[in-house]
Amino acid sequence: MDNDIEKVLYSREEIAGAAKRIGKELTHDYEGRQPLVISVLKGAIFFTVDVLKEFDCYTDIDFVDVSSYHGGTESSGKVDLVREINTDIKGRDIILIEDIIDTGRTLEYMVNLLKQGGANDIKVCTLLDKPEGRVVDIKANYVGFNVPNEFVVGYGLDYNELYRNLPYVGILKPAVYQK
Ligand code: XMP
Ligand code: MG
């Protein structure tokens, strides 16, 4: 797999540092509360686990799965709900954990879904933020790293369902998706 990567952007150690930093910030910010963590499948699972190990708080966890890419490297612009949230979110303080925010459409869709469900408060935590890709005016509250406008894989992020298990985040060689 390493041969398909043009450049490593964030090493295993750098990512661990970011997860620890955010976990500690959350511990501070949610003191005395019991938030519900919602992790966006499948990309955010690695980051969710690492952040939660540093989050010292009573919290329950659920997952949601949305799809906007359908296997390519460009967002289709249309977001589909693949797996619903099973927890009652009414009145809950929610921490939504994402892998990456690019156009912001997925996040906008998710936030609307949570608002419709009656969430009390919604905060967004993302491993990566790609501000240059934004078409919707929406921001994350906790960001691991700001990434350049390149297609990245690893540590949960995929291309055609592969590369999620790389322990780092890197830029995929364009030759891989151009063939
Ligand atoms: P939007 O454009 O809706 O995108 O903000 C968010 C979702 O799109 C996926 N995404 C990527 N996945 N490498 C990936 O593997 C990328 O560079 C990338 N950019 C966006 C991701 O699933 C995210 O939840
Ligand atoms: Mg995703």
Side-chain angles (χ1 to χ4, degrees), residues 1-2 13 20 33 42 88 119 174:
M1 283 195 294
D2 292 333
E13 292 74 23
K20 194 166 185 169
R33 291 152 80 189
K42 306 171 193 166
D88 183 7

Side-chain angles (χ1 to χ4, degrees), residues 26-50:
L26 290 171
T27 302
H28 172 265
D29 295 352
Y30 283 86
E31 201 192 332
R33 291 152 80 189
Q34 191 171 320
L36 166 65
V37 168
I38 299 180
S39 175
V40 185
L41 294 169
K42 306 171 193 166
I45 55 170
F46 288 68
F47 188 52
T48 300
V49 168
D50 286 346

Side-chain angles (χ1 to χ4, degrees), residues 40-44 66-69 72-77 79 98-108 126 128 130 133-135 138 147-154 156-160 162 164 170:
V40 185
L41 294 169
K42 306 171 193 166
V66 290
S67 165
S68 66
Y69 268 69
T73 61
E74 304 256 328
S75 168
S76 68
V79 184
E98 257 286 19
D99 52 358
I100 185 165
I101 303 168
D102 187 355
T103 63
R105 286 194 190 106
T106 307
L107 184 58
E108 183 184 46
T126 187
L128 306 174
K130 223 191 248 190
R134 209 65 107 251
V135 298
I138 197 161
V147 276
N149 205 7
E150 306 263 10
F151 192 75
V152 296
V153 294
L157 293 126
D158 73 306
Y159 170 64
N160 270 351
L162 299 179
R164 292 193 199 275

